[in-house]
Amino acid sequence: MTTPVLSVENLSVDYEVGAGVFHAVSDISLVIPPGRVVGIVGETGCGKSTLAQAIPRLLPEPPARIRSGKVIFQGTDLVPVPKAKLPMVRGTGIGMIFQEPLNSLNPAFRIYDQIAEAVQMRHWREDGILPSFHPGPAPFDYSRRPITMPSTADVLSRPVMPGTAKDVMAARRVRTRTDLRDEVLDYLRLVRINDPETILSLYPHELSGGMRQRIMIAMALSAKPALLIADEPTSALDVTIQAQVLTLMKELIDEVSASILYISHDLGVVAETADDLGVMYAGRLVEFGPVAEIFQTPRHPYTKSLLRSIPTRYKSDWPMPTIPGSVPNLSQLPAGCRFHPRCSLARPVCTQEPPPALRVIETTVGATTSHHAACHYAEEVPGLP
Amino acid sequence: MGRNLEDLLIFIGKRFLQLLPVLFGIILLMFLVTHVFPLNPCPRWYPKASQQVLANCEAQFSQPVLTQFWTYFTKLLAGNWGASQFGQPVYPVITERFPATLELVLASMFLMIFIGIPLGVIGAQYAGRWADHLVRVLYLSGWSIPTYVGAIVAAVFLAPVVGLPAGHEYSTTSPPFAQVTHMSVVDAILAGNFPYTVDALEHLILPAGVLAFIEMGNATRMTRSAMLEVMPLEYVKSARMKGLSNFIVMYKHALRNALITATTVLGVTAGGLLAGTVVIEEVFSWPGIGAYAFAALGGGGEPNFDGAIAVVIVFALGVVIANLIADILYGVLDPRVDWR
Amino acid sequence: MLPTRSTNVASRVGRSFLAFFRIMRANPLTFAGFILVTIILVLAALVALVPSLIIPYGATQDTGAHEVAPTLFRWPPSLAHPFGTDQANIDLFSAVLRALPLDLAIGIGIAGIALVAGGILGLIAGFWDQPGTPGGAVSVVILRTTDVFLAFPSLVLALAIVASIGRGIWAAILAILITWWPYYVRLVRGETLAVKHLPYVTAARAAGVRETRILTRHILRNVLEPVIVYFTLDIGTVLVTFSTISFIGAGIPWPGPTPEWGSMMSFYQGNYPLEQFWWFITFPAIAIFVTALAFSLLGDGLRDVLDPRTRRALAESSSASTLPQEAPPTAATPTTPEQEEEAEEADES
């Protein structure tokens, strides 16, 4: 079995605010194998963005606090990493695409500067100028790696280039600068930008939302991350642009070797992109399994209601099925199963005992991921009509 | 979208033209204050002047108001800013003393930028925690200390403790080089005199430091609140995701945007600094126009009404220019501003 | 209709009470400022109403100290004279306390008058700002005038006015007043413009509510909050500015029947070596500092909560955008009264 790129084990994240403690993420476990796309769906406020930002430790701490659990990225638990050491993990290991293309690029800098900064950071880490994150099962090295400077002997033994030393230095500087520029252009082409040369010198406000999101994707990819977290990358865009960016994402998923955690509130989007799907409700992962299987045989009542409430052209049942009640307040969660006040199958045991976290329901022969659900009566959930 | 050099010049030119009404308003207001509001002011303004001066003054007030204004306006533009009651013209004194004040204000501004703004960043970074409280107490203390108290405490009680001189520009009254610019440090550097440069800097630290501390509040507060606005935005997070260190994220990505908002306090700050020089220069015997105004207002000298009004006009011009610079800075710092 | 209205009022009072406690809990400095301001106000009231209760000696009254040592004046601080005595054996503790109501009244009075005058002009300039109408013309004139006033550092302009119209306490007060109102014009106009285009105001206008009613019911109430906060912060600034004017020598003469902190310090600083008689200026200076700081702490803390910029940021950083709507932000929860207001408005029409 291959080592997963990321495995989240029993992660719980709270917000400690003046008004109380909000359990944004409770006891979530999840595994992302190399090269696989894992989708997470859930309503607004179910904690999926918190989960996304907790993995690279991007949450402001305080008020956020990782109460318990592990985030094992390439063999290293990120939870105990001190804040000062986090940049090396983020720089080379994990990339992230944000929801709001309006705000995700810095309005004060040109596009070139922003992407080149990311590429430059990667170069410096690759060259050992900056401390870098070691992939693999070896324990995470907190110490700063020594800067590898060429020895005098190395320098002297290099072939002498024509021209004076000053010319050589100048030539080298120009070369690295054009290299950097070429690399930035490569990434812009990667995200299907037609005229990357002109884009380079523009400011973010001069670009459309879809364009900005493409650049955001290019920027995230330019660090060559092993894990790419896409936090609702298409939600804030117009429908037509959404489709374009989604197509791009799908194409890139095939081209790029990174594992992807794809967060969305849109089941349709996730169905198109993800291999595995997790469903979140009130801070909990209530169901996890291969996408196709969950869509065919949802084993959690919430997933089932969610699927039923997707409007389709074919169904003509009116009024549109909705889930009664509303998402519980994360500071005053119901006892037992968090979904029980809205669940049509709820029985007395559901109001008292929390369901087992992700019970394995069945494993389709040949599938890499098994199907889990957090429900007392998972087997009894009726199939979709 | 125009943002080349030519557009910038047009942008600056436009801003400059917008100033003209304000400049006219300043002169008009000063005219009202000096010619229309006061009742029979001549003996009060020139208590020890000769009969000739008093008669001139009275004659001026007997003319119709519009004529008076025209005379006032043309005289101001021609550089005839009046004279002390003993006949010493004001304008040459102002031009000679102004550089010293400018030096003091710029030095305070420098300290404010390199101490006040980082303090604002720290306050935002640790919002609601003890570091933030400390920053707040610091700038509110500056806010609440009257300038003269701060100056006296620094000059009388602090100076001996830290071993810095409290008064004058140099240790000797006549430095051995030409006073080309009338700015102590610049003159010493121009003369290539290193010991005097150090000496001048030492003399500058305390007055500039006190002034900066007292007027820091606006800059720090504005930086803090602009940083708080910028920090939760996603581009700060995406900068973090590039693997940049916290320092770079804060001071390059966040502060760069926060500064756009923070430029708006430049005018107010410049006004506060200029007003502060009136007391600071008096206490520290700094040979600028602040001390001149203090003496002119009757603080320990003969009242010199024309001199005081001249300094007030210079200060207003200073604020107007600071506001112009702030506008231009805003346009340059924020790429979203179209210069056309 | 009536009972709902009264419960509305009750719940509104309860809510603002709650909001107040949240603000105080959120920032200990604001709370410290609130406590200090309360103490200062109570002290000032006591001094003004029942001076004999806390002031040991009348300010110009002989302290009796010379009976012990007839030649020795200028007593350093002791139990009998906590702030020491000056060259005329005036008890400085009494003098500093006696100056408190006057200085406080000057601070509150000037800031208050500036608030009312500037506030009205600001409302006019913000509300009737349509170009091409008489109101628009008036607002342009108001704004250009404030531009000119704001070009002067207020302390310096006040000094010029004092120099021009003559010295004395009334001249000093008038001078500060003339320079102080434009800040309120700017503030109130900005707030008015911001509120004027909010959806609920547009909705009220669409529902046919009269303009004057919109102004008094919707805009005034929203503008009031930031203005009062700024006013709190401003009291300290006025106090400091007035004392500086007195220090330069344009205030109330001292020694005299009416003590005032700035002129006291001006006199002692000019006539006595302060290294030796440090208590002469230390205690008036501390009095100004503490009073100004108290109002600044309170005002700055409140402003932090009400400033839309920091408010949003603070709320976001401490409750995170990912939380559901029910999650209340740290401190004050604004806007709800307006929504109620809307409902009332709709009922009435």
Side-chain angles (χ1 to χ4, degrees):
Chain A
M1 188 188 161
T2 50
T3 39
V5 172
L6 178 83
S7 71
V8 176
E9 294 173 10
N10 307 97
L11 183 71
S12 299
V13 182
D14 293 345
Y15 289 103
E16 281 164 15
V17 193
V21 177
F22 293 83
H23 309 286
V25 165
S26 316
D27 201 21
I28 283 190
S29 299
L30 151 104
V31 170
I32 306 181
R36 218 163 157 82
V37 181
V38 173
I40 299 280
V41 288
E43 289 168 79
T44 310
C46 71
K48 54 191 193 305
S49 280
T50 304
L51 174 67
Q53 294 185 30
I55 290 168
R57 298 267 312 276
L58 205 55
L59 293 169
E61 303 171 22
R65 196 168 67 89
I66 297 182
R67 188 155 40 94
S68 61
K70 289 177 178 173
V71 175
I72 297 171
F73 175 64
Q74 299 194 332
T76 309
D77 187 2
L78 299 184
V79 174
V81 174
K83 267 185 194 173
K85 303 283 179 190
L86 285 171
M88 48 176 127
V89 184
R90 294 175 186 146
T92 34
I94 306 177
M96 191 152 176
I97 302 165
F98 294 94
Q99 177 173 9
E100 197 65 60
L102 210 70
N103 283 337
S104 52
L105 294 171
N106 193 326
F109 297 108
R110 293 175 196 276
I111 301 300
Y112 171 76
D113 294 323
Q114 302 200 35
I115 302 178
E117 191 179 36
V119 175
Q120 185 77 69
M121 289 300 287
R122 172 164 58 77
H123 284 187
W124 282 342
R125 287 184 201 286
E126 283 167 355
D127 297 347
I129 295 172
L130 285 175
S132 176
F133 180 72
H134 298 282
F140 189 54
D141 181 12
Y142 291 148
S143 63
R144 193 188 181 91
R145 282 170 77 200
I147 297 170
T148 45
M149 291 289 283
S151 67
T152 323
D154 283 348
V155 175
L156 290 178
S157 63
R158 271 181 204 147
V160 179
M161 290 175 80
T164 63
K166 207 177 164 187
D167 293 338
V168 174
M169 289 306 290
R172 191 169 291 164
R173 210 176 297 135
V174 167
R175 204 182 63 217
T176 53
R177 204 181 286 161
T178 50
D179 282 355
L180 195 62
R181 192 183 145 88
D182 286 345
E183 204 169 337
V184 170
L185 286 175
D186 284 345
Y187 280 104
L188 286 180
R189 289 194 194 98
L190 183 72
V191 293
R192 282 48 159 180
I193 284 173
N194 289 329
D195 189 10
E197 303 272 348
T198 32
I199 297 288
L200 284 186
S201 60
L202 294 181
Y203 285 97
H205 73 273
E206 295 169 287
L207 299 170
S208 67
M211 206 62 152
R212 274 183 248 179
Q213 199 61 314
R214 278 165 202 264
I215 286 161
M216 191 62 221
I217 295 169
M219 206 159 84
L221 290 177
S222 69
K224 296 194 178 166
L227 172 70
L228 185 65
I229 300 172
D231 186 1
E232 309 226 16
T234 58
S235 310
L237 302 170
D238 289 347
V239 182
T240 46
I241 310 294
Q242 223 175 49
Q244 288 173 17
V245 173
L246 194 62
T247 315
L248 172 70
M249 283 299 290
K250 271 165 37 190
E251 288 169 10
L252 286 176
I253 283 167
D254 296 335
E255 290 174 35
V256 176
S257 61
S259 310
I260 295 172
L261 182 65
Y262 199 106
I263 305 227
S264 180
H265 65 262
D266 188 337
L267 278 166
V269 168
V270 173
E272 283 189 63
T273 47
D275 303 321
D276 297 337
L277 175 62
V279 180
M280 277 183 79
Y281 180 76
R284 281 205 170 202
L285 199 58
V286 292
E287 186 157 9
F288 190 82
V291 167
E293 213 173 288
I294 289 186
F295 270 78
Q296 275 157 23
T297 50
R299 283 299 175 203
H300 194 282
Y302 175 66
T303 317
K304 199 194 141 212
S305 330
L306 210 58
L307 287 170
R308 266 166 52 94
S309 60
I310 303 177
T312 57
R313 280 191 282 167
Y314 317 113
K315 282 190 276 182
S316 58
D317 43 351
W318 189 262
M320 221 173 80
T322 51
I323 310 174
S326 61
V327 186
N329 185 331
L330 288 176
S331 67
Q332 292 142 11
L333 290 162
C337 176
R338 290 179 185 178
F339 188 58
H340 83 257
R342 304 170 71 182
C343 183
S344 55
L345 298 174
R347 294 174 205 182
V349 65
C350 297
T351 60
Q352 278 138 31
E353 246 175 80
L358 295 183
R359 200 147 51 92
V360 179
I361 308 298
E362 59 211 301
T363 308
T364 321
V365 183
T368 45
T369 320
S370 43
H371 190 165
H372 316 266
C375 178
H376 289 293
Y377 304 102
E379 286 81 0
E380 296 173 29
V381 176
L384 283 173
Chain B
M1 203 57 206
R3 271 184 82 86
N4 53 38
L5 189 65
E6 192 191 325
D7 296 327
L8 182 62
L9 289 177
I10 292 173
F11 177 74
I12 295 174
K14 262 190 204 161
R15 291 294 133 124
F16 194 76
L17 285 180
Q18 285 168 6
L19 287 185
L20 292 181
V22 178
L23 291 177
F24 182 77
I26 287 170
I27 296 177
L28 184 64
L29 180 60
M30 284 330 284
F31 174 76
L32 291 175
V33 166
T34 55
H35 287 68
V36 180
F37 292 159
L39 297 166
N40 188 25
C42 291
R44 198 169 60 241
W45 291 352
Y46 310 107
K48 292 184 185 168
S50 60
Q51 287 302 315
Q52 179 63 37
V53 173
L54 273 182
N56 280 348
C57 176
E58 300 288 359
Q60 196 191 341
F61 276 97
S62 60
Q63 286 172 320
V65 173
L66 275 180
T67 324
Q68 282 184 47
F69 181 68
W70 180 246
T71 322
Y72 185 78
F73 190 73
T74 45
K75 274 169 102 180
L76 262 188
L77 292 190
N80 179 358
W81 291 11
S84 77
Q85 51 179 331
F86 305 117
Q88 190 195 22
V90 165
Y91 185 74
V93 181
I94 297 273
T95 46
E96 195 194 314
R97 297 183 74 122
F98 178 69
T101 301
L102 184 65
E103 181 182 37
L104 186 59
V105 167
L106 289 181
S108 306
M109 201 78 109
F110 178 85
L111 289 177
M112 210 180 272
I113 288 170
F114 287 96
I115 297 172
I117 289 179
L119 278 180
V121 176
I122 290 169
Q125 234 176 318
Y126 299 96
R129 280 180 271 173
W130 67 267
D132 181 30
H133 297 324
L134 192 69
V135 166
R136 189 184 291 250
V137 166
L138 261 179
Y139 76 72
L140 285 180
S141 299
W143 205 310
S144 310
I145 293 179
T147 319
Y148 59 94
V149 174
I152 292 171
V153 168
V156 177
F157 302 109
L158 189 65
V161 176
V162 295
L164 284 168
H168 306 286
E169 292 184 299
Y170 305 103
S171 298
T172 56
T173 42
S174 51
F177 45 79
Q179 310 262 315
V180 187
T181 60
H182 288 281
M183 295 191 196
S184 58
V185 179
V186 180
D187 280 341
I189 292 173
L190 285 181
N193 194 328
F194 183 68
Y196 266 91
T197 311
V198 175
D199 187 50
L201 278 175
E202 279 180 352
H203 281 79
L204 187 58
I205 288 177
L206 268 186
V210 174
L211 198 49
F213 175 64
I214 283 169
E215 297 297 331
M216 197 175 67
N218 278 316
T220 305
R221 208 208 129 81
M222 200 63 180
T223 310
R224 177 178 174 276
S225 94
M227 283 293 286
L228 279 179
E229 187 186 26
V230 163
M231 272 164 48
L233 293 182
E234 279 167 338
Y235 60 80
V236 176
K237 285 182 183 164
S238 61
R240 270 190 212 295
M241 286 309 295
K242 288 179 193 171
L244 301 170
S245 69
N246 191 45
F247 183 83
I248 302 275
V249 171
M250 281 296 152
Y251 285 85
K252 182 180 172 189
H253 286 268
L255 184 60
R256 175 65 174 69
N257 286 283
L259 277 184
I260 296 172
T261 335
T263 51
T264 48
V265 295
L266 188 66
V268 179
T269 305
L273 288 175
L274 286 169
T277 61
V278 174
V279 172
I280 295 273
E281 288 185 0
E282 171 63 21
V283 174
F284 286 91
S285 316
W286 196 260
I289 57 174
Y292 181 66
F294 190 93
L297 288 161
E302 287 302 331
N304 173 1
F305 184 73
D306 291 356
I309 294 298
V311 173
V312 174
I313 293 177
V314 171
F315 282 177
L317 289 181
V319 174
V320 168
I321 291 169
N323 274 324
L324 176 71
I325 293 173
D327 269 2
I328 294 170
L329 262 182
Y330 188 99
V332 170
L333 283 178
D334 189 351
R336 285 161 292 195
V337 174
D338 194 344
W339 287 343
R340 268 201 185 279
Chain C
M1 204 60 220
L2 263 176
T4 43
R5 189 175 280 259
S6 62
T7 51
N8 263 350
V9 169
S11 73
R12 197 175 291 158
V13 168
R15 210 185 295 119
S16 43
F17 211 63
L18 215 81
F20 176 79
F21 271 101
R22 279 219 203 92
I23 293 168
M24 291 302 152
R25 215 183 67 173
N27 195 330
L29 288 180
T30 319
F31 187 57
F34 175 71
I35 297 285
L36 272 176
V37 165
T38 315
I39 291 173
I40 288 168
L41 288 177
V42 169
L43 209 58
L46 284 179
V47 171
L49 299 176
V50 276
S52 54
L53 206 65
I54 42 173
I55 296 182
Y57 310 96
T60 50
Q61 188 187 317
D62 216 328
T63 60
H66 63 276
E67 283 168 20
V68 186
T71 48
L72 185 61
F73 284 42
R74 297 178 276 240
W75 286 74
S78 63
L79 271 182
H81 304 289
F83 293 177
T85 67
D86 74 353
Q87 83 297 335
N89 251 5
I90 288 169
D91 178 50
L92 285 173
F93 180 71
S94 308
V96 167
L97 264 189
R98 271 173 45 116
L100 175 65
L102 175 71
D103 276 271
L104 209 56
I106 288 172
I108 294 176
I110 291 178
I113 296 174
L115 185 157
V116 173
I120 290 172
L121 290 175
L123 267 182
I124 293 170
F127 196 67
W128 286 287
D129 70 332
Q130 287 297 314
T133 59
V138 170
S139 65
V140 166
V141 171
I142 293 174
L143 283 180
R144 292 293 144 261
T145 315
T146 55
D147 276 349
V148 171
F149 275 88
L150 289 174
F152 292 89
S154 34
L155 169 71
V156 173
L157 181 58
L159 285 173
I161 293 171
V162 168
S164 176
I165 61 178
R167 290 161 172 254
I169 178 171
W170 291 110
I173 289 177
L174 184 69
I176 298 184
L177 263 181
I178 290 175
T179 62
W180 223 258
W181 60 274
Y183 295 96
Y184 286 92
V185 175
R186 279 300 171 88
L187 179 70
V188 171
R189 173 176 176 267
E191 295 291 333
T192 309
L193 283 180
V195 176
K196 200 167 90 171
H197 298 295
L198 287 183
Y200 77 86
V201 177
T202 320
R205 188 167 286 150
V209 181
R210 279 195 322 278
E211 291 286 298
T212 45
R213 194 171 164 72
I214 289 176
L215 186 68
T216 50
R217 290 215 71 172
H218 295 282
I219 292 180
L220 199 58
R221 179 174 303 169
N222 275 279
V223 167
L224 218 52
E225 211 173 54
V227 169
I228 301 264
V229 168
Y230 185 79
F231 169 74
T232 315
L233 195 61
D234 212 28
I235 292 171
T237 321
V238 174
L239 209 70
V240 168
T241 309
F242 182 80
S243 86
T244 308
I245 291 179
S246 315
F247 178 81
I248 291 173
I252 306 156
W254 177 259
T258 323
E260 194 276 325
W261 296 329
S263 45
M264 281 167 82
M265 293 175 67
S266 172
F267 172 72
Y268 296 135
Q269 191 264 340
N271 295 298
Y272 298 94
L274 299 176
E275 293 91 334
Q276 199 184 343
F277 304 113
W278 54 271
W279 61 91
F280 279 16
I281 70 155
T282 303
F283 294 105
I286 289 176
I288 295 181
F289 175 65
V290 170
T291 313
L293 187 66
F295 283 98
S296 303
L297 280 173
L298 180 63
D300 195 54
L302 292 177
R303 186 156 78 162
D304 222 25
V305 178
L306 293 176
D307 180 358
R309 198 165 31 224
T310 49
R311 178 173 56 197
R312 184 162 14 105
L314 284 173
E316 225 164 275
S317 75
S318 52
S319 73
S321 52
T322 48
L323 287 186
Q325 289 298 305
E326 298 94 77
T330 37
T333 38
T335 64
T336 30
E338 282 72 49
Q339 290 157 4
E340 266 169 36
E341 199 66 17
E342 259 331 289
E344 274 176 40
E345 207 79 60
D347 285 354
E348 281 164 25
S349 58

